[in-house]
Amino acid sequence: MKRLVLPLVVVLLIVIVALQNTDEVSTRLLFFDVRLPLAILLLTMAGLGFVTGIAMTLWAARKRRNAKKA
């Protein structure tokens, strides 16, 4: 149960910040200018950070496992 508290607090904070930032912003994505609500941009970046963190954790675990076999 304790391991669930911190991720829930982080998700709650992300949602609160996103809901407070609903104004549209102009963002440049490579060669394109995109106008979208800041909340969508924040949630997208948080999601990408989450996925990157999981991918790096899995990559490091696989690297450790392969090092033990050798």
Side-chain angles (χ1 to χ4, degrees):
M1 180 67 178
K2 288 182 181 181
R3 292 183 67 171
L4 191 59
V5 173
L6 183 61
L8 285 176
V9 169
V10 170
V11 168
L12 181 64
L13 288 174
I14 290 170
V15 169
I16 289 171
V17 169
L19 290 176
Q20 290 178 340
N21 292 287
T22 57
D23 296 336
E24 275 201 0
V25 294
S26 180
T27 304
R28 180 156 240 198
L29 300 172
L30 296 177
F31 306 109
F32 306 102
D33 284 328
V34 179
R35 289 195 56 83
L36 67 159
L38 183 57
I40 300 296
L41 183 62
L42 289 171
L43 290 174
T44 301
M45 292 300 109
L48 286 173
F50 179 75
V51 168
T52 302
I54 289 175
M56 294 303 292
T57 301
L58 293 174
W59 175 76
R62 179 178 293 161
K63 191 173 177 181
R64 278 193 305 269
R65 232 179 306 140
N66 287 342
K68 286 182 182 179
K69 289 180 182 178

